Amino acid sequence: MRQVHITTFGCQMNEKDSQTIARIMASYDYQVTEKVEQADLILVNTCSIRQKAEEKTYSLLGRLKQLKNSNPGLIIGVGGCVAQQEGKRLLERVPHLDLVFGTRLIHQLPDLIEKVRRERSRLSRTEMDPGEPYLNPLPAVPGFFQGVKASVTIMQGCNNYCAYCVVPLVRGPEESRPSQDILSEVKTLAANGVRETLLLGQNVNSFGQNRMGEISFALLLHRLKKIPGLERIRFTTSHPKDLSAELINCFGRIANLCEHIHLPVQSGSNRILRKMNRYYTRETYLEKIVQLREGCPGLAITSDVIVGFPGETDADFEETMDLIRTVQYDDLFSFKYSNRPKTPASNFPDPVPEEEKSRRLNELQAYQKKVTLSKHQAMEGTVQQVLVEGTSKKTTQDWMGRTRTNKIVNFPGPSDLLGKTVPVRIEKAYVHSLKGSLE
Ligand code: 5AD
Ligand code: SF4
């Protein structure tokens, strides 16, 4: 069997795409290897959300040059968001690269690789409408459905055009997958032992809107709740403007829907939200937070924030801090604004100096760290239902699992706990995890 090594940068969509690639390549007799020096084929699945993410691709490709020199038969391919964004330019910039494939061409990968091999040519293919839907059901390969958790892509692309964001450009327009396909995939997963599913899309709240006669996302959740063996459902990501009352009402009412929502706010200033093309205000966002908590008091809420968007003043940033103090998020992912090619904001005037962006980011992160820790400390002494996912990162003697609110819990226990949900008493809180013992 030939060996393929896959490196993944970026978000959960990319992680999922890499799993799909592994499955497709497995049906063409490629086995995944962790050892890059043993590979006949190296694939890099890339991210371009921020400049730093994009740079990772170039530095990895630089390091791969030596391998190509010592093994001329080696094929190196780049897919994902940098591939889509750069296309042929990537081949020009990286002479030892063989193949560039866009975000919607995953299903054609075996053919493209064969073509490169046969013709000894260098290829770049980035068309957005390849004819065959990217979300087609995949060939069943035994062994690919194993694990406690599995992600299921329910839609691709994005129609929102937030001013800072490269995603609509590199992932194309929004397209929902038929709900029947999603339901049957989740059923198969649950029947094969998967306990938790994460529904993936750039904006799952608008699921179905672009497909005639399709059910809403909330209704999809109601259908999924009936699948035997499926203990937990999560989803990501939600756009606040599309978070409907129907969906808010699902929390606390659908037994296997976990008490956690990731609801990116990006900024607390209405002026900046308008410039970002977000189509909500801090007031309507905060109103939705209130409704979510009224319907489901224990709900964990996390978010994304960008600091230093062009023209962001001290007063705008203070509004963001004020919103964060008001919401008291369980956790936050915060980023310095990064200028992305061809996005609407790329030529907005008044860039915020790098040092100022860092100052704001530090202030925000220091505050959030305190909030996260104090929320974790408030859990000390409580008993949580923990779904065991694997062994702890720090010591393989401990198990690692998550609460329904998505908090990581490490604890010692017998060897047969994988995939089980067990009660754990929380004994010690840290910023990124909790430590406990079996009840
Ligand atoms: N600069 C900084 N952060 C960004 N994000 C998206 N685009 C940019 C950018 N150009 C952040 C947003 C989004 C998360 C996935 O990445 O907060 O929600
Ligand atoms: Fe994911 Fe966006 Fe990065 Fe692409 S650019 S990998 S969609 S975060």
Side-chain angles (χ1 to χ4, degrees), residues 223-273:
R223 302 253 164 102
L224 286 166
K225 79 180 172 195
K226 297 179 189 140
I227 294 179
L230 185 64
E231 244 177 75
R232 292 183 173 190
I233 304 173
R234 302 183 189 278
F235 59 82
T236 200
T237 284
S238 295
H239 193 308
K241 78 173 164 51
D242 298 308
L243 182 67
S244 64
E246 193 194 11
L247 182 54
I248 291 174
N249 283 334
C250 290
F251 287 104
R253 288 195 176 80
I254 294 183
N256 51 5
L257 179 62
C258 288
E259 289 78 20
H260 170 224
I261 187 167
H262 184 64
L263 195 62
V265 67
Q266 312 299 0
S267 169
S269 151
N270 284 336
R271 202 178 70 83
I272 296 297
L273 285 171

Side-chain angles (χ1 to χ4, degrees), residues 190-246:
N192 282 273
V194 168
R195 298 281 75 101
E196 176 176 314
T197 182
L198 173 65
L199 307 173
L200 286 179
Q202 300 297 346
N203 178 17
V204 294
N205 303 162
S206 60
F207 174 82
Q209 284 172 15
N210 41 31
R211 180 177 279 280
M212 282 274 285
E214 189 50 277
I215 58 176
S216 67
F217 182 60
L219 213 57
L220 179 68
L221 292 177
H222 280 281
R223 302 253 164 102
L224 286 166
K225 79 180 172 195
K226 297 179 189 140
I227 294 179
L230 185 64
E231 244 177 75
R232 292 183 173 190
I233 304 173
R234 302 183 189 278
F235 59 82
T236 200
T237 284
S238 295
H239 193 308
K241 78 173 164 51
D242 298 308
L243 182 67
S244 64
E246 193 194 11

Side-chain angles (χ1 to χ4, degrees), residues 423-437:
V424 177
R425 185 171 294 275
I426 306 302
E427 285 159 351
K428 180 93 186 94
Y430 304 95
V431 177
H432 299 294
S433 66
L434 300 155
K435 180 102 177 71
S437 60

